[in-house]
Amino acid sequence: MGTTFGKGCHLHLIDGSAFIFRAFHALPPLTRKSDGLPVGAVSGFCNMIHKYVEDNSGPDAPTHVAVVFDKGSHTFRNDLYDLYKANRDEMPEDLRPQIPLTREATRAFNIACLEQEGFEADDIIATLTRRAVEAGGRVTIISSDKDLMQLVGNGVEMLDAMKGKRIGVEEVEEKFGVRPDRVVDVQALAGDSVDNIPGAPGIGIKTAALLIQEFGDLETLLDRADEIPQPKRRQTLIEHRAQIELSKRLVTLDQAMPLEVTLDDLEVRRPDPASLLAFLNQMEFRTLTRRIAEALGVDAPAAADPAPAAAEAPARLPFTPETYECVRDAAALRGWIEAAQARGWVAVDTETTGLDEMRCDLVGISLAVEPGRACYIPLGHKTGGGDLFGADALAEGQMPLSEALALLKPLLEDPAVMKIGQNMKYDAKVLARHGITVAPIDDTMLMSYAMHAGLHGHGMDALSERYLDHSPIPIKSLLGTGKAQITFDRVPIDEAVKYAAEDADITLRLAQLFKPQLHRAKVTTVYETLERPLVAVLAEMEMTGIKVDRDTLSRMSNAFAQKMAGLEAEIHELAGERFNVGSPKQLGEILFDKMSLSGGKKGKTGAYGTGADVLEDLAAEGHDLPARVLDWRQIAKLKSTYTDALQDHIHPETGRVHTSYVITGAVTGRLASTDPNLQNIPVRSEDGRRIREAFVADAGKVLVSLDYSQIELRILAHVAGIDALKQAFRDGHDIHAMTASEMFDVPLDRMTPEIRRRAKAINFGVIYGISGFGLARQLRIPRGEAQGFIDRYFERFPGIRAYMEATVAFAKANGYVQTLFGRRIHTPEIGAKGPQAGFAQRAAINAPIQGTAADIIRRAMIRMPAALGGLPARMLLQVHDELVFEVEAGAADDLIGRVRAVMEGAAMPAVKLDVPLVVDAGQGANWAAAH
DNA sequence: CTCGTCACG
DNA sequence: GACGTACGTGACGAGT
């Protein structure tokens, strides 16, 4: 370990995706015996990797190796050309669940496993190839893909593993008729029907090669196209110049993409027999397990139990806290790191002094490599006493923090070792502050969310009790509660070991239980594409934060305080006595007992209702006091929740506010924002909206806000199949006016705002699972009239009622509903009797619509880092259908173009909507101006 | 710690 | 025939 890549080194880059597809198509469908999981491609993949290892252990063995995969189907090329690879079929259903298993297989062989969202495997290969050549090494690319041939030469060659044929400069020239460095020119002209590269119509490889030979390169050819003798050819090149140039950009591989991994990380490592055989055994590959055991010179393990028993086995192993190890020096830590590296996975948990990742300090790290085998590394525990200033000394027997992190960094960043956590976003952020980028990751909280949304929460204690039948040590037993509560750095180390190591142990056991269940629950794709990749994206946004101007907030607070004092005096005057205006109880007594106003209704707790709707009715009757209270309440809300509280959230060092998004916060797939909640900053009232002026861009930058227009109604039109709505969206019509026109037989040119307002309320009501009562209250009309509107709506759009009924029936039959992307939301209350029944049905109707919208913006966010590559821009906030960015002023328009393309295309290619998605954009010095 | 209230999509 | 209802969140102050 530890040699630097350079002269004499030989890097092998394996085109992993090509291996998978070849294995999938060449082999008959094969399923795992115990549970029917399709594993044919995994089996073929393992065979090919094994054969590769056998064939390459001789004198010319590589010193460095990596298997490179495609990730996702959207890359920067789709932003250049939306039809790029558009004629590709969706991945076969049987292959999909095998994709993550091939990653695991690669790690089981102890080979680095690389992939990156937004880039193709070919770009990663190109980038590493260039780096290796620049460092003076040789490269062999194990692939026969012609798109990689542009890289050949200069110590780089390709190897067709199936045919055992080497592809050097000569072979490339034979195929393309030009030297490798001009291959992209030929490809740009000839195009490619497989990848849907347009090229120049009527020109194939032969003609293209002739032209490039004659003119030297593509740019010269295009500049001097008028010299081409053949009139047809000449005309084609001149006419299609832009298309040809685009084609060249599409076929040219990115040799300088951002890539965290370094060549040194790819050094060849011997596989750990135990973990490799464990993986093969878990896949139930009998022959291969035996063959590889022989090759490694060890005994094959006993054949695996049927999967369900195997999956439950780790849960049954008892917890033995006394066997957890306390790691106090580098030698011991190295042992744990090697154990993790040999297995290809490790569960990780960090202990800190608080819950705010941006402010707390790291106190220790725990690791688990097997059920029951875990350790805790104390790093920041303090001695009890404390000096006069409360600054305690570090407790004895701890490694220096910097030394431990220096040892752990390569493991935590090793692409071949899976880091397993419970809510990894937290640990990733803590470690990021120490310069460590944790990857790749698995997250038990997100696995549970993908499988169990709507059934129960996803906190570790709940999961442990429910799935491992084990109650973890409560944190309160260590920290105490209330005023006497201490921070984790004050916990004695021997107590901390039991608690912290147990957390890592539980996390590992949960992962081993959940991972194989994802497929059976049919949510592997949801977990892999909508949950897990979001962790890094959100961590980055949260750490970036948004700048908030304290002076603006402070001035507003003062103004609000004055206004409130004035209103309070008026209210006391009107009431004839002093009372706490902020107390609903006291207010209710004043209004309905003392003043005997009408409409006093007591709720289930026996208190009068004094909500805004009640006070508005009273105010409309001409009563001044409730009107003043409404004004007071609005200001009190703005002051306490926003202008006051937000100031406390400004980070002392960054001057910015760092919210925290909860990925599992809403059952539908929406995010939740906490500490502070930046998803409910006022916008509807004029006074409230001014609070957004305090959210500002840094000097020289602007804030850009982009939001989906009517995304939920568009999804409704699609899922319910309402032709009239779909057509209206395609034509860009005013959807509420069009609904009003259909319902009330009013031609569009005679539409009034009032009729449109009613139709708008109905459209929203439909999304929520409409009821006559709800609509009546919203529109303040009699219930019978509201019911009449709803009946008419369903007459005009019978598909909507059919959709609603079908959704409820599906929920009753299956116990869940799902989004267009396969996210499942469980509906355990759907069969309930009584008033809960209505709740559950409306929630079931709403969930697929709200959830599909949530999935779409998640997909957009996950693609954003790649789409933004190179731009001086950062994504700051998500507000359900809106994304907020901060960008150098000069690049705002470029940013809007790119982000809009990603957002509008975010459903593709997994789902092709019948309606267009439309994104509105704004920019300005602050959030109010950008919205 | 629960409730009522109100901010957002 | 009566129930009581629009869907999804988080934070605050009051009052237990």
Side-chain angles (χ1 to χ4, degrees):
Chain A
M1 294 284 246
T3 50
T4 305
F5 190 96
K7 204 165 158 47
C9 288
H10 186 181
L11 170 66
H12 274 199
L13 294 168
I14 300 169
D15 182 355
S17 299
F19 270 33
I20 297 173
F21 281 94
R22 194 176 284 168
F24 182 75
H25 290 111
L27 291 167
L30 169 73
T31 55
R32 183 158 71 180
K33 205 171 172 187
S34 58
D35 63 353
L37 177 75
V39 288
V42 184
S43 162
F45 180 83
C46 289
N47 266 304
M48 291 161 84
I49 293 285
H50 176 55
K51 181 170 184 304
Y52 160 81
V53 173
E54 297 269 277
D55 292 350
N56 288 280
S57 49
D60 194 28
T63 57
H64 295 70
V65 62
V67 182
V68 187
F69 295 99
D70 292 314
K71 181 170 193 180
S73 48
H74 187 98
T75 70
F76 69 93
R77 293 185 178 81
N78 297 99
D79 298 332
L80 288 173
Y81 181 55
D82 53 10
L83 294 176
Y84 177 68
K85 292 200 175 176
N87 52 3
R88 282 283 167 92
D89 286 332
E90 274 283 297
M91 183 179 292
E93 208 42 52
D94 259 15
L95 179 54
R96 202 180 285 280
Q98 301 190 62
I99 299 300
L101 294 173
T102 58
R103 304 331 190 232
E104 279 184 42
T106 307
R107 287 189 275 269
F109 277 94
N110 211 1
I111 300 176
C113 170
L114 307 180
E115 53 190 319
Q116 191 152 317
E117 188 74 37
F119 294 90
E120 294 183 44
D122 291 358
D123 297 310
I124 300 177
I125 291 175
T127 299
L128 288 172
T129 296
R130 201 199 62 167
R131 290 190 194 171
V133 169
E134 283 175 356
R138 286 164 57 212
V139 180
T140 301
I141 300 166
I142 291 85
S143 172
S144 53
D145 189 345
K146 59 178 173 17
D147 295 336
L148 289 164
M149 292 185 182
Q150 58 187 274
L151 302 173
V152 167
N154 260 337
V156 180
E157 62 177 13
M158 292 171 63
L159 176 67
D160 182 337
M162 291 305 280
K163 296 180 186 151
K165 203 180 93 189
R166 308 193 88 74
I167 302 165
V169 174
E170 266 179 42
E171 288 76 12
V172 174
E173 279 188 54
E174 201 175 295
K175 180 165 176 69
F176 281 102
V178 292
R179 294 187 50 80
D181 58 338
R182 295 272 69 88
V183 162
V184 287
D185 292 350
V186 171
Q187 285 182 293
L189 285 167
D192 183 354
S193 58
V194 179
D195 291 348
N196 217 25
I197 306 283
I203 292 184
I205 289 190
K206 287 283 183 294
T207 314
L210 275 176
L211 288 167
I212 296 301
Q213 280 161 19
E214 190 174 336
F215 287 85
D217 61 54
L218 184 67
E219 289 66 34
T220 314
L221 168 67
L222 292 175
D223 287 343
R224 293 168 45 197
D226 51 339
E227 298 170 23
I228 298 170
Q230 300 88 337
K232 183 96 179 110
R233 208 174 277 178
R234 181 172 63 232
Q235 197 194 344
T236 303
L237 288 190
I238 293 170
E239 229 170 71
H240 295 95
R241 176 166 190 151
Q243 184 176 313
I244 295 165
E245 284 169 337
L246 172 68
S247 298
K248 178 158 177 178
R249 289 169 70 193
L250 292 173
V251 299
T252 304
L253 299 181
D254 187 346
Q255 302 193 9
M257 59 174 277
L259 202 56
E260 297 274 333
V261 72
T262 68
L263 290 171
D264 296 337
D265 296 332
L266 309 180
E267 198 167 2
V268 170
R269 291 186 297 252
R270 283 187 51 78
D272 170 60
S275 51
L276 175 53
L277 292 173
F279 173 79
L280 297 169
N281 205 28
Q282 183 202 335
M283 291 291 106
E284 298 169 23
F285 300 152
R286 298 281 158 78
T287 320
L288 191 59
T289 307
R290 204 175 53 239
R291 191 157 6 119
I292 291 183
E294 267 170 41
L296 293 169
V298 297
D299 289 335
D305 292 343
E312 282 165 27
R316 292 215 186 106
L317 196 77
F319 281 83
T320 51
E322 62 281 2
T323 64
Y324 296 142
E325 186 182 320
C326 182
V327 172
R328 296 182 185 273
D329 57 52
L333 181 53
R334 281 200 190 92
W336 284 92
I337 291 171
E338 275 163 30
Q341 226 131 22
R343 275 163 192 75
W345 69 70
V346 60
V348 183
D349 187 36
T350 56
E351 303 301 336
T352 60
T353 52
L355 290 172
D356 180 350
E357 316 91 310
M358 289 296 293
R359 300 189 197 206
C360 65
D361 292 316
L362 184 58
V363 178
I365 300 174
S366 47
L367 307 174
V369 294
E370 264 172 41
R373 200 172 149 208
C375 70
Y376 177 62
I377 313 151
L379 299 167
H381 287 260
K382 305 277 174 58
T383 55
D387 61 20
L388 280 175
F389 306 98
D392 295 347
L394 275 175
E396 293 284 309
Q398 301 185 83
M399 288 181 69
L401 181 72
S402 56
E403 185 187 5
L405 292 180
L407 286 171
L408 283 166
K409 182 177 161 80
L411 175 75
L412 295 174
E413 298 185 343
D414 189 337
V417 179
M418 180 62 79
K419 269 67 66 175
I420 303 161
Q422 162 75 11
N423 190 14
M424 265 302 234
K425 179 159 67 65
Y426 182 88
D427 307 275
K429 283 172 71 178
V430 170
L431 290 164
R433 285 173 50 209
H434 293 91
I436 295 174
T437 310
V438 183
I441 60 139
D442 255 331
D443 193 321
T444 47
M445 183 179 81
L446 302 185
M447 291 182 203
S448 176
Y449 182 58
M451 289 192 288
H452 311 134
L455 292 178
H456 55 72
H458 316 285
M460 193 177 70
D461 291 4
L463 295 180
S464 178
E465 304 216 356
R466 185 179 284 262
Y467 295 100
L468 303 179
D469 200 20
H470 171 73
S471 302
I473 302 170
I475 184 69
K476 278 180 184 159
S477 73
L478 274 64
L479 304 184
T481 139
K483 205 163 170 265
Q485 196 164 359
I486 57 170
T487 46
F488 202 85
D489 54 339
R490 311 267 157 177
V491 174
I493 291 178
D494 51 346
E495 275 183 55
V497 170
K498 293 191 181 69
Y499 169 84
E502 182 186 69
D503 275 4
D505 189 8
I506 290 169
T507 303
L508 184 74
R509 296 184 200 219
L510 285 172
Q512 293 192 345
L513 181 68
F514 286 163
K515 202 78 196 279
Q517 291 177 350
L518 288 170
H519 166 252
R520 265 172 277 160
K522 298 195 169 18
V523 291
T524 305
T525 306
V526 169
Y527 173 72
E528 300 272 346
T529 65
L530 297 173
E531 318 287 1
R532 197 169 57 174
L534 207 56
V535 172
V537 175
L538 291 177
E540 192 65 39
M541 288 169 71
E542 294 170 13
M543 289 189 290
T544 304
I546 183 166
K547 188 172 175 187
V548 172
D549 186 62
R550 184 186 299 276
D551 289 346
T552 305
L553 292 177
S554 170
R555 272 200 303 275
M556 292 174 95
S557 279
N558 290 337
F560 286 149
Q562 285 200 3
K563 217 164 164 182
M564 278 169 75
L567 282 165
E568 210 169 314
E570 273 188 69
I571 290 165
H572 290 161
E573 178 80 16
L574 287 163
E577 67 178 285
R578 297 178 62 83
F579 70 101
N580 184 348
V581 184
S583 162
K585 184 165 170 277
Q586 295 178 32
L587 176 65
E589 282 158 10
I590 295 280
L591 288 172
F592 301 114
D593 291 339
K594 181 169 182 188
M595 300 173 69
S596 316
L597 300 184
S598 60
K601 253 197 304 197
K602 293 191 178 179
K604 49 193 162 210
T605 52
Y608 289 113
T610 65
D613 48 349
V614 176
L615 299 188
E616 273 163 24
D617 287 344
L618 292 173
E621 287 167 28
H623 300 292
D624 278 344
L625 193 146
R628 295 289 173 278
V629 172
L630 281 169
D631 290 342
W632 183 91
R633 278 216 184 134
Q634 196 203 358
I635 296 163
K637 175 82 176 177
L638 295 177
K639 182 170 185 295
S640 68
T641 309
Y642 300 105
T643 56
D644 285 352
L646 222 36
Q647 295 186 54
D648 299 333
H649 284 284
I650 299 174
H651 193 285
E653 280 153 41
T654 64
R656 300 169 77 96
V657 170
H658 305 265
T659 184
S660 186
Y661 291 101
V662 190
I663 305 182
T664 59
V667 288
T668 53
R670 274 196 181 177
L671 303 177
S673 161
T674 65
D675 307 300
N677 181 356
L678 294 187
Q679 290 181 321
N680 72 345
I681 302 302
V683 68
R684 291 172 187 168
S685 78
E686 181 53 40
D687 270 350
R689 186 158 54 239
R690 295 205 48 211
I691 290 172
R692 294 187 173 219
E693 292 172 8
F695 290 75
V696 295
D698 230 333
K701 299 180 181 171
V702 292
L703 292 185
V704 172
S705 160
L706 299 102
D707 68 290
Y708 284 110
S709 161
Q710 311 281 11
I711 187 168
E712 293 192 352
L713 268 181
R714 288 170 197 264
I715 290 165
L716 175 70
H718 174 91
V719 296
I722 313 299
D723 288 331
L725 291 180
K726 288 196 239 178
Q727 196 55 48
F729 278 125
R730 282 193 209 111
D731 297 342
H733 288 157
D734 176 340
I735 200 68
H736 301 310
M738 176 268 175
T739 306
S741 169
E742 279 280 329
M743 278 187 60
F744 302 110
D745 293 318
V746 180
L748 282 172
D749 53 13
R750 290 182 48 203
M751 184 57 53
T752 69
E754 178 53 25
I755 299 176
R756 184 181 178 279
R757 188 179 75 90
R758 295 183 168 196
K760 184 176 174 181
I762 296 168
N763 275 333
F764 274 104
V766 165
I767 291 171
Y768 298 147
I770 200 160
S771 77
F773 186 94
L775 183 64
R777 209 176 59 162
Q778 179 68 29
L779 288 177
R780 305 193 171 227
I781 55 175
R783 196 178 147 178
E785 200 181 333
Q787 191 56 52
F789 288 171
I790 294 169
D791 293 343
R792 197 146 17 153
Y793 186 90
F794 284 147
E795 258 170 54
R796 294 299 161 102
F797 304 107
I800 302 267
R801 171 176 276 166
Y803 163 77
M804 292 170 77
E805 286 169 359
T807 304
V808 170
F810 184 93
K812 283 184 173 153
N814 299 290
Y816 67 89
V817 291
Q818 58 188 350
T819 67
L820 289 180
F821 299 90
R823 174 186 301 284
R824 294 187 174 192
I825 298 111
H826 294 272
T827 56
E829 299 281 289
I830 196 77
K833 297 275 173 274
Q836 307 111 296
F839 274 117
Q841 289 180 9
R842 289 192 298 271
I845 290 165
N846 173 258
I849 301 168
Q850 187 182 117
T852 297
D855 289 347
I856 288 174
I857 197 164
R858 278 183 183 224
R859 291 167 63 90
M861 292 170 74
I862 288 164
R863 290 172 181 176
M864 216 52 84
L868 260 44
L871 274 190
R874 296 184 293 185
M875 182 158 59
L876 307 186
L877 300 177
Q878 188 248 43
V879 193
H880 308 307
D881 64 357
E882 172 189 12
L883 294 173
V884 179
F885 296 82
E886 184 177 43
V887 59
E888 300 273 350
D893 292 325
D894 191 3
L895 174 81
I896 289 172
R898 290 205 219 174
V899 173
R900 177 179 271 139
V902 172
M903 288 175 75
E904 292 185 342
M908 293 282 280
V911 169
K912 190 162 167 20
L913 292 174
D914 299 338
V915 289
L917 293 179
V918 170
V919 168
D920 300 322
Q923 54 177 298
N926 61 60
W927 198 3
H931 192 80

